[in-house]
Amino acid sequence: MSSSAPRPGTLDPELATVADALTSGGPDVFTRVREQAQAELAEQLARAELPPVEAVDLSAPADPAVPVRLFRPQRRPSSLPVFLWIHGGGFTAGSAEALDPFCAEIASRLDIAVANIEYRLAPGTPFPGPLHDCYAALRYVYHAARSLGLDENRIAIGGASSGAALAAGTALLARDRREVPLVFQLLDVPLLDDRLSTESMAQFVDTPGFTRAGAAAAWTAYLGPDQRPGDPDVSPYAAATRATDLRGLPSTYLSTMELDPARDEGILYALRLLAARVSVEVHSFPGTFHGAEIFAPGAAVSRRAAEERLRALARGLSVDADRRVRLT
């Protein structure tokens, strides 16, 4: 097995300090660094001169009900496109609340609505519970769109890491049930394959931010006690690469990081989407690792990734946002 350590010159120099912190700290370093970075980003956004947004707490009917926080520009047209966001955290950690500043920024910069979903976490609630939560939120937003001032014909879904796994699974479920028409999905550093069999998964066993062992633990927790990662009958709604037919899925933006164990499964999924005649934009950012944008949001490559994501979402929702997407 080849070494997973980044070769000299491969890691983006702006990410070196945070990479060292992530690889040399104790077992809780990931959580500490992430929380610190999220707090710093929230403070930065609070100081930014962005148009104000309002937040409305909603409850999607389900058992149990699914909390959804909807962000909308205070000055808005009567019918807003809406983006449903699903947070990451290896299926077992994280919260929608921690991503409220991120969702508010998107709503403000693009003049759209953003629905932030608080789904149940594994291992307490394994698959399909979290997926059902996300689909319940999507279904609720679609059916309540007009009363919420939303455009039911311009709904997108997205997430990061395990959140992207849930977004991809929700998009597959929406296609198959033919109940909610999605126009776009945004899959940011997605976890899509429980089999852990790609070259990047074999190569990057101890890279910063995320490791092969972390991927195995995440899938083990998500699939629950009755299944193991790699079992032949894992549902495609859990691991989207298990789907045999990708036709009819919405236009897609998919990003990966060069030094990420999950890199290849994302790229391979993008190629399969293209083969299924789905419009896809895919970008693998050089010198980066899984979660680099969270841990080092001020790095030039992180800012470039964030701007590109906003532009892709604007295109996916048919929003003219050229004057306001560029980050300051």
Side-chain angles (χ1 to χ4, degrees):
M1 182 178 294
S2 58
S3 172
S4 66
R7 298 183 302 275
T10 299
L11 182 67
D12 188 300
E14 285 193 273
L15 305 178
T17 299
V18 70
D20 287 342
L22 289 168
T23 55
S24 62
D28 64 338
V29 65
F30 182 94
T31 300
R32 288 190 288 104
V33 175
R34 179 178 63 187
E35 290 178 348
Q36 179 181 352
Q38 287 176 336
E40 291 174 355
L41 181 60
E43 183 179 350
Q44 175 185 335
L45 292 175
R47 295 194 302 267
E49 295 182 2
L50 295 172
V53 298
E54 65 176 15
V56 180
D57 288 326
L58 306 171
S59 182
D63 186 17
V66 181
V68 178
R69 181 163 291 172
L70 182 68
F71 293 91
R72 297 177 297 192
Q74 287 188 356
R75 296 182 179 179
R76 58 183 183 271
S78 58
S79 186
L80 286 168
V82 57
F83 176 49
L84 279 77
W85 178 253
I86 307 173
H87 73 83
F91 301 111
T92 65
S95 69
E97 183 179 9
L99 275 295
D100 278 348
F102 169 82
C103 294
E105 180 192 20
I106 293 177
S108 178
R109 290 194 185 276
L110 296 187
D111 275 333
I112 66 172
V114 180
N116 194 12
I117 303 171
E118 190 73 87
Y119 60 91
R120 292 169 292 170
L121 299 176
T125 304
F127 176 83
L131 177 79
H132 287 170
D133 291 349
C134 295
Y135 187 78
L138 172 64
R139 186 177 181 274
Y140 170 70
V141 166
Y142 174 68
H143 287 291
R146 294 188 181 182
S147 65
L148 296 171
L150 309 177
D151 185 347
E152 71 268 29
N153 295 312
R154 286 194 290 169
I155 300 178
I157 195 167
S161 190
S162 58
L166 287 162
T170 303
L172 282 165
L173 191 60
R175 179 202 64 179
D176 293 344
R177 292 189 177 179
R178 300 182 179 182
E179 184 177 16
V180 181
L182 287 171
V183 298
F184 186 72
Q185 63 175 342
L186 191 153
L187 307 180
D188 193 12
V189 294
L191 303 185
L192 299 170
D193 195 342
D194 64 292
R195 291 165 290 195
L196 313 178
S197 59
T198 63
E199 175 60 27
S200 62
M201 193 62 71
Q203 182 180 9
F204 301 129
V205 296
D206 57 1
T207 39
F210 193 57
T211 65
R212 177 187 171 87
W219 283 111
T220 298
Y222 184 46
L223 295 177
D226 297 329
Q227 281 193 318
R228 300 181 63 179
D231 282 353
D233 57 346
V234 168
S235 170
Y237 301 128
T241 55
R242 299 293 196 126
T244 58
D245 184 359
L246 301 182
R247 291 174 297 178
L249 285 169
S251 297
T252 301
Y253 173 78
L254 192 151
S255 67
T256 66
M257 302 295 158
E258 181 183 4
L259 307 173
D260 181 0
R263 179 196 67 198
D264 291 355
E265 62 199 64
I267 293 172
L268 292 170
Y269 192 66
L271 290 174
R272 289 188 57 214
L273 285 168
L274 285 167
R277 300 185 178 182
V278 175
S279 179
V280 179
E281 181 177 355
V282 60
H283 194 146
S284 185
F285 289 93
T288 55
F289 53 85
H290 194 95
E293 189 183 336
I294 297 175
F295 299 120
V301 67
S302 298
R303 293 166 62 83
R304 182 158 56 93
E307 181 176 327
E308 184 177 291
R309 179 178 56 231
L310 283 173
R311 290 190 180 278
L313 180 59
R315 288 192 298 272
L317 287 172
S318 301
V319 172
D320 183 6
D322 280 347
R323 292 178 300 172
R324 301 187 45 209
V325 169
R326 184 168 298 279
L327 303 181
T328 57

